[in-house]
Every structure is written in C-alpha cells, then in structure tokens.
Amino acid sequence: MHRTFETTTERRQRTLDGQWEFLTDPGNEGYEADYGESFPTEEADRLSVPSSWNAHREYADYVGPAWYRRTFETRAEGSQLFTFHGVARDATVYLDGEEIASHEGSYTPFTGLARNLDAGEHELVVRADNTRREATLPHDDADWFPHGGIHREVVVERVPDVYVRNLAVDYDLYGDEATVAAEVTLHNVGPRPAEPDLTVSVGDASVTDSVEVDGMDAATATLALDVEDVDRWTPDDPMLYDVEARLHGERAEREGGAFVDDLRDRIGFRTVSTGGREILVNGEPVDIAGVNRHEDHPEWGSAQPLRVQERDLDLIRRAGCNAVRCSHYPNHPRFLDLCDEAGVLVVEEIPLWQVDESTMVSTQERAQRTLLEAIERDRHHPSIFAWSLSNECANDEATVVEGTRKLKWTADGVDGSRLITVASNSDWEGETDGVFEFCDFLSVNAYWGWYRDGDWGEFLDGIEADYGEKPIVVTEFGAGAVPGDRTHEGRKWSESYQADLLADCVDLFRERESVAGFTVWQFCDTLTDPDRAMTRPRTRNNKGVLDEYRRPKEAYRVLRDRLTDE
Ligand code: ADA
C-alpha cells in the first residue's frame, strides 16, 4: 500500500507490484523499431516494481530510455483509474497500445483514465527515461544519482461513471473551533448528467449537498463545515483526523441501481507562523533539530519499502531529531504519513537545484508544475510546515529572483497555510541573496570547516545583519566521512573529523538566538552522480551521519548525545 491508511473503501483498488518485463533502449528506438509492433517478451528481463533499475546490478549505471510491460485482468467492464506514484523521471504510459498518460518528474504522481475498459486481459506499457538535460528537473549537473524506473507504486482503481477526482481541505482555526472548506472535484466519465449527493466528513462532523455534473465533464463544489472541540496536531501529540468525500448517486434509469464512491485522506489541525526569530507551531516556538534525507538505499535505489521508511524515521527520532528536510524533492507520500503520525516536522522542496539565470528560464514552467503537483498531493500533511522553493540557486541574479517570486505566488495561490523558504548558499558564496526578502524564514546552507575554512559565528552575524529579523534555519552543514575511518588525528574524511565538526556546529547553533534550528547534511550516505566520483570516495556523498546501510558513524552518536538525555 502506498499510504499507511486506506484511501478508499468503495473502489476496487489494486497495486501493480511485482515483476514487470523490462528492456533498455539505449538507441532510443522504441521496441517497435527493432521488434515490430508487439513487445518482445522473449528478449525482456524481469524487474521488480517498485524499484529503481539502477539498484539491479545489470543496470547499475544505465541512464537512458527503458520500457516496462505487464498484463493485468479486469473482471467486468468499467472505468479504471491508473495512478503512477512516481516514475523516474519522464514517463509515457500506454494501455493496450494507446497512450493514456505522460509526465515529467520523478517525485510527483500522475494519472491516466481508461473509460469503460472491457473485461479481460490488458497490456500496460511504460516508457521511462532518466536522462538529465539542461532543462530537466533536476538538471544534468545535479549531484545526486539519477535513478531511473518505476520507483513508486502503480495503483489501479475501478471507478464509477461519476467519481471523486480530488479533495482539497482547508481550514481556519479559532481557538478550539475550525471552519473547514472542502473543495471536491467530481468527474463524470459517462455521457449523461448526474446529480449525486456528496458527503464530506472530518472526524465526526459532516455535511451533505448534491452536486450537478454534466456528462463527460468535471465539476468542483466547496462544502463548508465546522469542527468543534478540535484536538490540535502538535509535535508532542500529533492528533490526526480522517477526512472523506463520499458520493451516493442513482445511475441513469436505463442502467438502474445506485453507485457509491469515496476518497479518503487525513488532516491535522495546527497553525504555523513565525514571530521574530522563532518558528511557531500553534503559536508555540519550536527548535528545529533535523536531518536532510535523500531517498536512497543500496538495495532499493530511490524506491522506498515501508520498512526502510519506518526504520529511517525511527533512527531520526532516536537521534533526538524532530524534523526532516526532504532534500531535494517531495518524498514518498507514505514517509510523510509516518512523519504526520510521529509529530515530526517536514520541509518539502522541489528539485530546483543550483539553477542559474539560463536554467531558471528553461525550467520555470516545469518548476511551477512540479510545485503545484507537490502541493496538490501533500497539502493535507500537518507535518509539512514549509515549502522550500529551491536549493542553492543564483539568487543574486534578477531572473532567478523573479522566477522564484513566481513560484512563491504559485504556492500562495493554492496554499496559504505554510511558511515559504528557499535554501540559499548565496552568502557563503559572498553574494547577496535577493530571494530571502520574500521568505518567511531563511534557510542557509554553508560548509565552513569542510569545503572552506571560515568562522560560523561571523558568518551568522552577517546574515542576521543583512536580512531583517527573520528566523534562520541552517539547512545544510556537515563534512564527509568514509565509514570506519576513525582516527586520533581527526583529519578530513574521517568519522572523527565529521563528528567534531557537527558537535561544534550544533552547540553554536543551539546557543544562538537567531537560529531557529538546523538540519544536518545528511541523514545517511547516498549515491552521488558518477561525474563526481573523483572527489567523492565510493561514488557516494559521504556526509551521512549513518552509512548507506544506516550503520552509525561517530557523528550519529554525537548528535544523539546532544539532542537526547540518553
Ligand atoms: C550542496 C547541495 C547538496 C549536497 C551538498 C554537498 O549544498 O545542496 O545537495 O550536494 O552540497 O554534499 O556538497
């Protein structure tokens, strides 16, 4: 299951996990060119879905297009909704030879609908391509490994002619009362108009209305309801409420019978804001102590089995951390569910990474789309307290500033309930950041003591002086450590050097009033882009406080000693 709870009780929902046929296509010919119309099953390998093909020895370094195929059976005629929760990176989906969906970007979902699909066997073919270019997100210079493949779940749901396409819940909180507005989009894939009853419920409160939706059309209705005696979501007591949009309707006379459909999610009632140099949850200051986490594992690549997610979160919490920065992209939605349940605070980012003037222009539209997709997918997670619009872009350039401002407007337009930030290394590069001006808090990346010598204290003095009274979160700092290299001398690349540097930084950040928190770079060692292999031993970014198998380095203990009483 792609979430920790059921997202429907009425639809027949299947996850197309398991082995799919798989074929790389280095010449980008399509299988038709070499093999004729039908998929060359005899030539194909079998690969597990979800997984990254680079986690399989034979395809460890493969970058380019590849093809997946499988068949599946449907018992009865009906419409089927296919949701791909993540294909890395660009994908086109064909059902029985017809294209039903295409999408760019590894980390946000997309859907394809097959109207009135016949009963019987069907063929699903997916073309995926992990080639990075100047205008892809991330671009071709990004330093994390370009995993490819169907790395998140593929879910198929049988939906009635009129079904709930989307549910977006917003609320305002007044003490322990909430006024909720639920925007529900219905999609009618049948030819005739319909007027089903729509019930929206939040916990025990509910409201019902009827909604008209024309044949072959969509309609959006906003239903309002009040929730009383609200138990707020707090990091210490992360109370969650079930939300549901449920449809009841009569089919057209000729067909007879009733239909029903439902879509479920969860929300948590809380506010996030800033006050002076502090980040506030429900008006209370929180000290952010967290890690940066890439989705990466030696056995799974960028895919994320539940057990890996549970264990990662457990290790994060055992270190005394209360926050995760999902660097540098929307993480798997189930990981966010776990954070909601644990009361862990999350910064979600889009993969707009180290973009300059020219790449800002070429990626602007993709960035807007990705941001919208991320917010649409994740708007209900109470754990997410901030959207991070970019990482280490050339924020001293006017084009980049204006492009980022557009992203902020986009986020504000669809979700006014979270803080906005960007992670910036401008000051570390000796430049002035033009984007900080419209951020709610400043996310600062710097590697004093690793890439360069310098004084963290002086550096923070400068930031405090330059950007007004806003909270500062040091979102990246750290040092590389080759696991097992423990030395008395504590030279670079040793665990000892990394541990000492982290200890000094954490002590300094915690003492400083302007610093509302920090997220260590990074949770665990991760595969790096092969182009960086000569400066990164083991072709990994070794700045993890755990190694790639999540075994602790000295730095993990140092962090834990400082953040817990154990
Ligand atoms: C940058 C970047 C990270 C990581 C880090 C490093 O700050 O944001 O993605 O690559 O550097 O390890 O050098």
Side-chain angles (χ1 to χ4, degrees):
M1 222 164 50
H2 63 291
R3 305 294 298 269
T4 61
F5 57 92
E6 287 186 313
T7 54
T8 180
T9 55
E10 300 295 345
R11 298 177 187 174
R12 179 162 187 246
Q13 189 183 65
R14 287 185 281 175
T15 306
L16 297 183
D17 283 354
Q19 291 184 317
W20 291 46
E21 292 162 32
F22 177 78
L23 208 62
T24 56
D25 183 10
N28 194 18
E29 304 191 18
Y31 60 82
E32 291 92 345
D34 274 350
Y35 304 98
E37 283 293 301
S38 63
F39 195 90
T41 295
E42 326 72 53
E43 314 280 333
D45 205 346
R46 296 184 75 77
L47 224 69
S48 48
V49 167
S51 78
S52 137
W53 67 59
N54 305 91
H56 300 253
R57 188 183 44 78
E58 303 84 329
Y59 309 107
D61 297 317
Y62 183 69
V63 173
W67 296 85
Y68 287 86
R69 173 188 182 265
R70 69 166 282 162
T71 57
F72 65 97
E73 295 251 348
T74 51
R75 282 270 175 81
E77 186 192 329
S79 296
Q80 305 278 349
L81 182 65
F82 296 82
T83 305
F84 287 79
H85 286 278
V87 180
R89 193 202 58 251
D90 295 345
T92 314
V93 179
Y94 304 87
L95 177 67
D96 299 330
E98 300 281 327
E99 181 178 326
I100 58 162
S102 71
H103 183 257
E104 290 172 336
S106 306
Y107 311 107
T108 44
F110 61 96
T111 58
L113 181 85
R115 207 177 145 246
N116 292 338
L117 196 64
D118 292 337
E121 188 179 87
H122 298 279
E123 181 192 57
L124 205 52
V125 169
V126 177
R127 180 186 187 275
D129 188 350
N130 60 342
T131 315
R132 287 175 176 168
R133 301 190 185 80
E134 193 198 313
T136 56
L137 278 189
H139 57 64
D140 47 4
D141 248 357
D143 78 339
W144 71 94
F145 191 86
H147 286 288
I150 306 178
H151 67 158
R152 292 182 185 165
E153 291 73 10
V154 181
V155 175
V156 190
E157 293 170 309
R158 173 138 192 237
V159 289
D161 275 0
V162 185
Y163 69 99
V164 182
R165 177 81 205 187
N166 194 42
L167 165 67
V169 176
D170 278 328
Y171 58 80
D172 286 313
L173 270 174
Y174 306 95
D176 64 354
E177 283 187 27
T179 340
V180 176
E183 195 184 88
V184 184
T185 303
L186 306 186
H187 187 194
N188 184 354
V189 294
R192 284 171 288 275
E195 196 172 349
D197 282 339
L198 167 66
T199 301
V200 170
S201 56
V202 179
D204 297 333
S206 69
V207 56
T208 300
D209 205 349
S210 61
V211 182
E212 271 184 59
V213 50
D214 283 343
M216 307 295 280
D217 206 350
T220 298
T222 302
L223 273 61
L225 71 160
D226 293 334
V227 179
E228 286 171 10
D229 299 324
V230 163
D231 265 335
R232 291 197 183 208
W233 184 96
T234 69
D236 292 332
D237 186 9
M239 177 70 186
L240 295 168
Y241 284 72
D242 293 329
V243 294
E244 183 190 68
R246 172 171 286 267
L247 278 185
H248 297 266
E250 295 301 320
R251 287 184 209 280
E253 259 170 47
R254 232 154 30 100
E255 292 159 14
F259 73 86
V260 60
D261 185 47
D262 72 339
L263 192 61
R264 305 174 132 212
D265 206 341
R266 296 185 312 197
I267 59 167
F269 291 105
R270 52 106 186 86
T271 60
V272 287
S273 55
T274 61
R277 298 279 194 192
E278 293 181 316
I279 290 179
L280 311 172
V281 175
N282 296 314
E284 299 286 327
V286 285
D287 294 326
I288 307 286
V291 291
N292 285 276
R293 180 172 172 274
H294 265 300
E295 293 188 325
D296 192 86
H297 190 284
E299 310 294 357
W300 303 90
S302 53
Q304 289 274 289
L306 173 60
R307 186 62 199 128
V308 168
Q309 298 175 323
E310 287 173 339
R311 183 144 189 272
D312 283 5
L313 193 60
D314 180 49
L315 292 168
I316 289 168
R317 296 181 73 204
R318 284 190 64 206
C321 290
N322 62 2
V324 179
R325 174 169 173 244
C326 294
S327 51
H328 296 290
Y329 39 78
N331 278 198
H332 192 291
R334 194 178 47 213
F335 182 70
L336 300 171
D337 290 338
L338 295 173
C339 291
D340 291 342
E341 290 162 19
V344 166
L345 294 162
V346 172
V347 177
E348 179 155 304
E349 192 161 271
I350 58 166
L352 194 67
W353 187 93
Q354 292 191 2
V355 157
D356 60 17
E357 276 193 290
S358 97
T359 34
M360 186 77 213
V361 173
S362 54
T363 52
Q364 178 86 48
E365 208 190 303
R366 282 193 176 89
Q368 308 262 126
R369 218 181 310 135
T370 304
L371 180 63
L372 280 171
E373 288 174 355
I375 297 178
E376 186 173 319
R377 190 195 74 169
D378 290 337
R379 64 185 314 139
H380 294 150
H381 290 286
S383 55
I384 299 178
F385 74 99
W387 305 118
S388 176
L389 305 178
S390 67
N391 179 73
E392 298 186 355
C393 293
N395 295 346
D396 58 326
E397 306 280 0
T399 315
V400 174
V401 175
E402 285 324 303
T404 315
R405 200 190 300 273
K406 281 190 200 147
L407 290 172
K408 179 187 153 49
W409 288 336
T410 301
D412 286 349
V414 284
D415 174 44
S417 71
R418 289 178 175 84
L419 306 178
I420 295 289
T421 193
V422 298
S424 166
N425 66 349
S426 301
D427 282 70
W428 191 56
E429 296 289 352
E431 287 146 1
T432 301
D433 193 290
V435 173
F436 273 167
E437 186 199 337
F438 51 82
C439 287
D440 295 310
F441 66 92
L442 315 177
S443 293
V444 177
N445 295 359
Y447 285 88
W448 299 116
W450 179 248
Y451 292 118
R452 286 181 214 155
D453 291 333
D455 186 276
W456 264 105
E458 271 173 35
F459 173 71
L460 289 169
D461 289 343
I463 296 199
E464 283 166 23
D466 287 350
Y467 300 104
E469 204 191 350
K470 291 187 180 184
I472 298 171
V473 177
V474 182
T475 34
E476 288 190 30
F477 64 102
V482 173
D485 185 18
R486 301 192 186 107
T487 62
H488 293 291
E489 294 76 18
R491 298 210 175 92
K492 279 190 174 171
W493 291 113
S494 69
E495 286 194 22
S496 326
Y497 184 90
Q498 180 197 32
D500 290 345
L501 185 134
L502 283 193
D504 290 348
C505 286
V506 168
D507 290 346
L508 186 131
F509 301 155
R510 291 176 90 199
E511 268 170 21
R512 203 138 180 139
E513 255 175 43
S514 63
V515 175
F518 59 85
T519 49
V520 177
W521 186 270
Q522 62 174 341
F523 168 66
C524 72
D525 293 346
T526 51
L527 264 191
T528 195
D529 189 281
D531 284 352
R532 315 234 168 185
M534 297 317 287
T535 49
R536 291 191 169 165
R538 312 185 308 132
T539 320
R540 294 191 190 280
N541 187 318
N542 294 289
K543 298 188 191 76
V545 293
L546 307 173
D547 76 2
E548 60 278 18
Y549 286 102
R550 283 59 173 164
R551 291 173 296 207
K553 299 186 194 171
E554 272 191 44
Y556 182 79
R557 185 182 48 73
V558 157
L559 199 61
R560 193 168 163 205
D561 283 351
R562 275 168 172 67
L563 301 179
T564 67
D565 300 329
E566 286 170 42

